[in-house]
Every structure is written in structure tokens, then in C-alpha cells.
Amino acid sequence: MVSIGLSASAIARIRFAVSPLWETIASLRVLRDPGGHAVHLPWVRRVRGLGVPLLVAPAPGYIPDFLTPTPPGPFPDLDDELAVLAATPPEVVAAQTGAGDPPDPAALAKELRSYFDAALAPDWPRIRALLEAEVYARARTLAADGVGGLLNDLHANVSFAGGTLSVLQRWCTAADVPDGGDLVLIPSVFVWPSVLTVFGAQAQLAYPPRGIGALWESPPDAGADALGALVGRARARLLTELAVPSSTSELAGRIGITPGGVSQHLAVLRAAGLVRTHRDGRSVLNVRTAAAEVLLEANGRPAP
């Protein structure tokens, strides 16, 4: 068990980040011990045989902190994260890996980029969609139940009381931090079923999002069910994909229809009261309505 104290100002600055580098590093743990991550076995079977970067670690289950620098924003680019990793001072790498001849962080960053492209890039759109859905859902929890409700619902090994966040981890040997800094919450599919932490000036807590059990399932055939018969195959698929708010171009890439075609289908769904749009910064996102959720549940499709 390790604990970190969160001041009122630190609590006010709690943020989420979807980190491709965290997923890259956590996925390597899955490949090293597939039996401990059974939900990911369909993915393991697909990528087994790929060259895996050699990450030197002094103990099983341990991840050197320099491999997971604090994400600079809510949705960082992998190359930006790898640039931070590549700039790690050699003495830090040596101290954290316990290696007399530590790996070159710049060479390791290039190796991780190649690994991501081969092992994770094909599935990244569905992984990111799940992680984004998690962030939106947790934001609603924060608004409804406050920080305590948010943190105490993240994972069975995580608890928050009296301004202290406590995390039960098998491999963590870090000392308690009575007066911690900021906290970044990082949903990560490959962290499942445990949680991982980095405690420092900006503490990071990586935890598994909800919905992982269906991550590697093949998408349902919308034309074979009642919903597809009711609204059409393409529109049924769009409603299914809108488990997370998405732009028109994102939807087009995921279901293989032109952006113009997606726009036409979305216009019909909006007119029927099944989809609405809202602006998120520079993006215009499409969102399912409550009526759409009723249709999906009645058709046997789980709502998020």
C-alpha cells in the first residue's frame, strides 16, 4: 500500500489523460505475462512473434518511471511523449533500470515507435474510442458525485478519504507522499486487471476503464438484428459506434463510409431524435440521445 496526500488545490487540478505511450508500455507487460491478462489473449495471439523492445527492469512487474513521463495534455501525440522519453538523462535510466550498461533512451524511443506501429496502431482507433468514452463517463461522475465519488469508484485497489489517496499494489515499493503534487488519471486497457502508479511532483494513476471485456469482440452485424432492420445497417452501426462522442470524420474512418455519407445518415438520425451534436473546442461531436440508448438496450446492445 502506498499513499499520497492531496491538498485542496491539488484536488482541484486533477485531470485525465489518454496516453498512447502508457498503453505501449503496459502492453509489453501483457506480452510478457499473457496468463495474467486473460482478457487480452485475442490481441496477444495476433501480435505474438513481433519483435519486443528489451526493457531492462530490476524486478518482475516493475516499470521504470522514465518510460512513462507525465502526459503533457489530455490527448498527447505518441511522438511528443517519446521525445520526452528520449531526452531522459543517462544517469536516471541507469538508476531506474539498475543496469551497469543502461539502454540508450533515444534508441529505445525509436524501438517503441516501431513496436507501436506494428502491435497497437491497427487497434488504436477502437482502443482510443474506449478510453475517450471512459473519460467522458468519469467526468459525469465527478460532476455528480465529486472527487470522492470519482476516486473511490476507479478500482478496488484505490481508495480516497481524508485528503489521502491510497493505492494497493503488489510491486510498488515507493514511500508514502504525505504532501503530494498534482494527480493525472490515466485510463489504460492494458493495465487491466491491476493499477499502476508513478508518484512524483505529478503523480500518475493508470487504471483499467470499464468496457474492456468487449474490446476485442468483432463488431456486431447490424444488418442481422432488429435495429438494423428498423433504421438500416449503416445507421445502426453509427449508433453503435457513438458509444463515445465522435466527429463525422472519425466515424467515417471507423465504419468505412465516406464523410459525406456519414453526414447524410447523421442528418436522418438527428431528425429522428437519436443523435445530437455539440461543439468541443474546434471539433463538432455527435452524441447518442437517451432515445437511442433505449433502442440499443431493447435490441440487446449494452449501453456504456
Side-chain angles (χ1 to χ4, degrees):
M1 178 78 75
V2 63
S3 298
I4 177 172
L6 296 176
S7 66
S9 60
I11 289 175
R13 292 190 300 271
I14 290 175
R15 66 181 177 91
F16 287 89
V18 172
S19 168
L21 181 54
W22 259 103
E23 289 295 6
T24 301
I25 299 302
S27 73
L28 292 169
R29 296 173 69 247
V30 174
L31 288 178
R32 286 183 167 183
D33 180 25
H37 307 270
V39 74
H40 296 306
L41 289 180
W43 172 81
V44 170
R45 285 191 286 268
R46 290 207 310 270
V47 304
R48 185 182 285 122
L50 295 174
V52 176
L54 178 62
L55 305 181
V56 180
Y62 170 77
I63 296 178
D65 289 351
F66 80 92
L67 293 173
T68 52
T70 304
F75 302 105
D77 182 81
L78 175 60
D79 289 328
D80 291 339
E81 292 188 290
L82 288 174
V84 177
L85 188 158
T88 306
E91 60 272 17
V92 173
V93 179
Q96 293 185 9
T97 61
D101 184 19
D104 173 26
L108 182 56
K110 292 181 180 178
E111 197 173 4
L112 288 170
R113 173 79 247 192
S114 297
Y115 165 75
F116 177 90
D117 290 342
L120 294 183
D123 296 305
W124 184 244
R126 70 161 63 183
I127 292 173
R128 175 164 173 151
L130 177 63
L131 298 178
E132 289 182 351
E134 168 70 11
V135 171
Y136 280 104
R138 294 297 181 181
R140 291 195 296 269
T141 299
L142 177 61
D145 303 325
V147 172
L150 169 68
L151 296 178
N152 284 310
D153 190 48
L154 289 179
H155 192 275
N157 291 355
V158 177
S159 60
F160 177 73
T164 299
L165 179 71
S166 300
V167 184
L168 178 62
Q169 282 185 267
R170 179 181 178 186
W171 301 109
C172 185
T173 59
D176 290 347
V177 185
D179 186 16
D182 293 350
L183 175 64
V184 183
L185 300 175
I186 303 173
S188 167
V189 301
F190 288 108
V191 162
W192 184 93
S194 59
V195 293
L196 294 174
T197 56
V198 175
F199 281 174
Q202 284 194 310
Q204 301 178 68
L205 172 61
Y207 70 94
R210 292 167 289 190
I212 291 178
L215 178 62
W216 305 118
E217 293 179 359
S218 299
D221 180 0
D225 57 27
L227 183 61
L230 177 65
V231 301
R233 294 181 60 188
R235 292 165 193 163
R237 178 69 187 279
L238 284 171
L239 289 177
T240 302
E241 291 292 335
L242 283 173
V244 57
S246 306
S247 68
T248 299
S249 59
E250 289 172 336
L251 290 168
R254 293 209 295 266
I255 70 174
I257 298 178
T258 66
V262 170
S263 294
Q264 292 177 9
H265 289 305
L266 289 173
V268 173
L269 293 172
R270 280 195 296 271
L274 299 176
V275 169
R276 59 182 174 84
T277 58
H278 71 87
R279 183 168 291 279
D280 183 12
R282 296 182 178 179
S283 300
V284 176
L285 301 180
N286 302 282
V287 184
R288 290 193 310 221
T289 65
E293 302 292 354
V294 172
L295 278 177
L296 289 165
E297 291 183 12
N299 194 57
R301 296 167 186 264

